[in-house]
Amino acid sequence: ARTPEQETVRVINDTLRASGMNETMTYSFAEPGDIERLRLPAEGLGLAVELLNPLNADMSVMRQSIVPGLLRSVAYNQARGVMQALLSVKNIQLYEIGTVFAAAEGRKKAKERKKLAGVLAGSMRDAAWNSPAVPFDFFDAKGVLENLARELALPKVRFRALSAEEAPQ
């Protein structure tokens, strides 16, 4: 039998795949400035967990967020046409369920948490003779999240538009 956590992960995977997304796995190592470069809020992330013996200077901390790795994966694949070769399109729909790490003053062991992140890039479908390619937008992502919230029976999920000052740039 599955544990409750394993069952939740199964429901998430099934729902996101049914929504057209593909699961990926990125490195648990990250660049020290990833969070600042993306202008993600550092609230609740804790301190970065520094590696004592990193493989290289670019990946010298454990990741605090899955988002930078996903965006790096999209950029890498689009720049090299990898997704084009696999899917014959330049449209990417990825998600990852992974562990993020946080340190705290006075604590010897890092705190580990499971997180979910996703990215939509390109368009839902290629242009055809009778319809143009329509780029992904907020409502495509909202639809995926609404499906997931319904399947997980999450109560009272609301969406709120950010003001220009609140949004990462």
Side-chain angles (χ1 to χ4, degrees), residues 58-166:
D58 289 340
M59 298 188 135
S60 62
V61 298
M62 300 300 288
R63 67 182 175 190
Q64 294 173 274
S65 172
I66 297 172
V67 174
L70 277 175
L71 295 178
R72 199 172 284 115
S73 180
V74 169
Y76 179 88
N77 288 319
Q78 283 186 335
R80 287 157 184 81
V82 172
M83 297 308 270
Q84 285 182 314
L86 292 176
L87 305 173
S88 74
V89 293
K90 204 169 185 160
N91 308 321
I92 299 173
Q93 304 167 58
L94 296 176
Y95 76 94
E96 180 177 6
I97 301 170
T99 305
V100 296
F101 305 85
E105 292 289 331
R107 191 169 21 148
K108 291 185 179 186
K109 189 174 180 185
K111 186 176 184 180
E112 298 181 20
R113 294 175 290 170
K114 288 273 190 199
K115 294 287 184 170
L116 167 67
V119 62
L120 301 175
S123 59
M124 186 67 78
R125 64 180 182 281
D126 285 332
W129 67 271
N130 60 348
S131 63
V134 179
F136 285 117
D137 63 14
F138 167 80
F139 297 103
D140 295 315
K142 183 179 179 224
V144 171
L145 293 174
E146 286 173 335
N147 288 340
L148 187 58
R150 184 184 62 247
E151 292 301 318
L152 292 173
L154 299 177
K156 298 183 182 179
V157 174
R158 287 177 275 206
F159 296 89
R160 177 178 68 86
L162 297 177
S163 67
E165 294 81 33
E166 295 175 301

Side-chain angles (χ1 to χ4, degrees), residues 14-75:
D14 289 350
T15 303
L16 293 178
R17 284 189 204 119
S19 296
M21 299 189 75
N22 299 296
E23 186 175 17
T24 189
M25 293 175 67
T26 59
Y27 291 113
S28 293
F29 308 123
E31 292 183 33
D34 277 349
I35 302 299
E36 293 82 27
R37 268 193 298 283
L38 289 176
R39 295 187 180 122
L40 294 173
E43 277 181 36
L45 294 180
L47 301 172
V49 177
E50 295 184 25
L51 299 172
L52 296 177
N53 191 14
L55 296 173
N56 64 46
D58 289 340
M59 298 188 135
S60 62
V61 298
M62 300 300 288
R63 67 182 175 190
Q64 294 173 274
S65 172
I66 297 172
V67 174
L70 277 175
L71 295 178
R72 199 172 284 115
S73 180
V74 169

Side-chain angles (χ1 to χ4, degrees), residues 1-8 10:
R2 291 186 178 106
T3 65
E5 181 181 342
Q6 289 171 329
E7 186 58 28
T8 300
R10 186 197 61 77

